[in-house]
């Protein structure tokens, strides 16, 4: 599948200070892609190069094959910056009409498209309401409507939920899912890990200006190929027997056990066929495998582990 957004060794330096260096990634169509990293990681620098607000020191970036920052690339890009303001004396419909004129849209197309995006973001009933009366969540919706006005293939959102309450964040999440269902590609720059875990198909981790990890979210969270097994018919001696016979093969550990005869086991580096062999061994010992599931680290744990790993490498 051809990438919608592609960067190759994209680099920006500010004198002796690093912004981004040698960032190479691809964003495929119809996905929600999350950019993660601590404060000062270079995320904002990367985003500004994509939208054409910063010129790279070196490297390349393309949207559907057109250089980022070019007129053709910008036609395919909708952008919502982290900090944006619209004249608060205008209504939502007037804001969109004004933006449509700036984009050079024909008057007939302008009105119909404004109605479409207001409906998409759930603001149809508020089209005639002045922006000063909008909640923060409604303002974010209006900002997304503006980013969608010219029907771009790629929508880049910079911290779209950072100032919202839990209800507002939930509403924005549902809206982004709707955009994906409509075939839009969303690039999400955020520090809210719960949003990334709930929404993103793929993620990239940026630290000190360098890309340290990228790929499908599921693969990153399930990267260890570890499993947890919930077992019945367990007895104390089983632990020593299981570890003695299977520990070297599956890196088996007893997570917890109790006097009722149940236990939770942890195994590493195991595929489904090996899981079947392990189940056969347990049955042969008079035990029952109640449940087996892949161990998920959780995005927060993965993020912290990445930070700890980077800290160790830097020492």
């Amino acid at each position: 599948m051809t990438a919608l957004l592609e960067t190759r060794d994209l680099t920006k330096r500010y004198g002796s200070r690093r912004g981004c260096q040698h960032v190479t990634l691809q964003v495929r169509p119809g996905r929600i892609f999350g950019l993660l990293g601590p404060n000062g990681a270079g995320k904002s620098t990367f985003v500004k190069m994509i939208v054409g607000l910063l010129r790279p020191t070196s490297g390349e970036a393309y949207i559907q094959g057109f250089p980022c920052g070019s007129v053709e690339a910008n036609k395919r890009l909708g952008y919502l910056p982290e900090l944006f303001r619209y004249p608060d004396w205008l209504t939502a419909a007037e804001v969109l009409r004004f933006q449509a004129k700036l984009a050079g849209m024909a008057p007939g197309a302008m009105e119909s498209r404004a109605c479409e995006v207001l409906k998409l973001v759930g603001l149809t009933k508020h089209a005639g309401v002045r922006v000063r009366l909008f909640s923060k969540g409604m303002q974010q919706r209006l900002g997304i409507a503006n980013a969608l006005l010219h029907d771009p293939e790629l929508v880049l959102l910079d911290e779209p939920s950072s100032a919202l309450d839990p209800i507002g964040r939930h509403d924005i999440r549902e809206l982004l899912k709707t955009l994906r269902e409509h075939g839009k590609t969303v690039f999400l720059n955020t520090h809210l890990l719960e949003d990334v875990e709930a929404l993103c198909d793929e993620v990239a981790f940026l630290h000190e200006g360098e890309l340290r990890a990228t790929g499908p979210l599921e693969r990153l969270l399930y990267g260890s190929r570890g499993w947890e097994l919930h077992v019945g018919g367990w007895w104390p001696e089983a632990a020593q027997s299981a570890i003695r016979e299977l520990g070297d093969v599956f890196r088996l550990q007893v997570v917890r056990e109790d006097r009722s005869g149940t236990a939770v086991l942890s195994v590493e580096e195991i595929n489904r066929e090996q899981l079947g062999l392990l189940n056969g061994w347990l049955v042969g010992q008079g035990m029952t495998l109640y449940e087996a599931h892949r161990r998920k680290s959780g995005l927060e744990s993965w993020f912290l582990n990445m930070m700890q790993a980077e800290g160790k490498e830097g020492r």
Side-chain angles (χ1 to χ4, degrees), residues 301-315:
S301 298
W302 178 82
F303 185 93
L304 293 174
N305 288 337
M306 287 293 297
M307 290 298 299
Q308 291 169 0
E310 297 301 333
K312 292 176 181 177
E313 288 180 8
R315 287 199 289 268

Side-chain angles (χ1 to χ4, degrees), residues 10-291:
L10 196 62
T11 299
K12 179 64 178 180
R13 295 189 180 92
Y14 302 97
S16 60
R17 187 167 58 88
R18 296 178 298 183
C20 283
Q21 52 184 350
H22 308 299
V23 177
T24 297
L25 58 77
Q26 294 183 337
V27 178
R28 293 179 289 174
R31 305 295 182 96
I32 298 180
F33 190 100
L35 181 63
L36 290 172
N39 292 334
K43 302 191 301 299
S44 295
T45 295
F46 179 84
V47 166
K48 289 177 181 177
M49 287 191 287
I50 298 302
V51 302
L53 295 176
L54 281 178
R55 186 184 299 273
T57 304
S58 61
E60 303 171 320
Y62 300 93
I63 296 175
Q64 281 196 332
F66 297 99
C68 285
S70 67
V71 173
E72 290 300 322
N74 288 342
K75 287 180 180 179
R76 293 158 173 80
L77 172 67
Y79 175 47
L80 177 65
E82 180 180 5
L83 301 174
F84 67 94
R85 292 289 297 275
Y86 299 121
D88 63 4
W89 60 87
L90 296 180
T91 66
E94 289 170 340
V95 167
L96 293 179
R97 290 193 199 105
F98 176 68
Q99 298 292 332
K101 288 180 181 178
L102 292 177
M105 294 179 66
M110 182 190 308
E111 293 296 329
S112 61
R113 183 58 183 165
C115 291
E116 288 177 11
V117 294
L118 285 173
K119 180 179 179 180
L120 183 60
V121 301
L123 288 178
T124 299
K125 294 181 180 179
H126 305 281
V129 177
R130 298 191 187 280
V131 173
R132 69 166 63 98
L133 301 176
F134 276 19
S135 67
K136 289 182 179 179
M138 293 169 67
Q139 291 180 32
Q140 290 292 89
R141 285 175 174 271
L142 179 59
I144 294 174
N146 183 53
L148 294 169
L149 192 59
H150 60 292
D151 197 23
E153 285 84 355
L154 174 65
V155 184
L156 198 158
L157 307 176
D158 197 353
E159 301 286 2
S161 303
S162 60
L164 303 182
D165 60 21
I167 295 176
R169 288 201 300 272
H170 174 269
D171 290 345
I172 295 299
R173 286 179 192 170
E174 294 303 307
L175 174 56
L176 298 186
K177 291 177 183 178
T178 300
L179 294 182
R180 178 170 54 192
E181 292 170 1
H182 281 73
K184 297 299 180 186
T185 304
V186 179
F187 189 99
L188 187 63
N189 178 27
T190 182
H191 68 278
L192 297 176
L193 300 183
E194 62 269 28
D195 284 356
V196 174
E197 195 159 11
L199 290 169
C200 292
D201 304 296
E202 299 182 51
V203 297
F205 181 81
L206 205 63
H207 183 58
E208 294 185 348
E210 296 183 356
L211 186 65
R212 302 302 173 92
T214 185
L217 181 62
E218 182 179 3
R219 177 171 62 80
L220 294 175
L221 295 185
Y222 289 109
S224 68
R225 297 174 65 200
W227 291 73
E228 272 194 0
L229 313 178
H230 294 247
V231 175
W234 186 261
W235 69 96
E237 292 77 13
Q240 289 76 23
S241 176
I243 291 173
R244 183 174 60 253
E245 296 189 31
L246 305 174
D248 291 340
V249 178
F250 299 125
R251 294 168 59 188
L252 183 145
Q253 294 181 330
V254 180
V255 178
R256 60 180 179 270
E257 58 185 349
D258 57 42
R259 295 179 180 178
S260 66
T262 60
V264 176
L265 311 179
S266 169
V267 293
E268 301 286 347
E269 302 300 326
I270 184 172
N271 57 37
R272 292 182 180 274
E273 183 178 350
Q274 292 171 318
L275 182 63
L277 295 174
L278 180 56
N279 182 36
W281 183 89
L282 293 170
V283 171
Q285 299 296 312
M287 290 178 273
T288 302
L289 179 59
Y290 292 136
E291 180 183 354

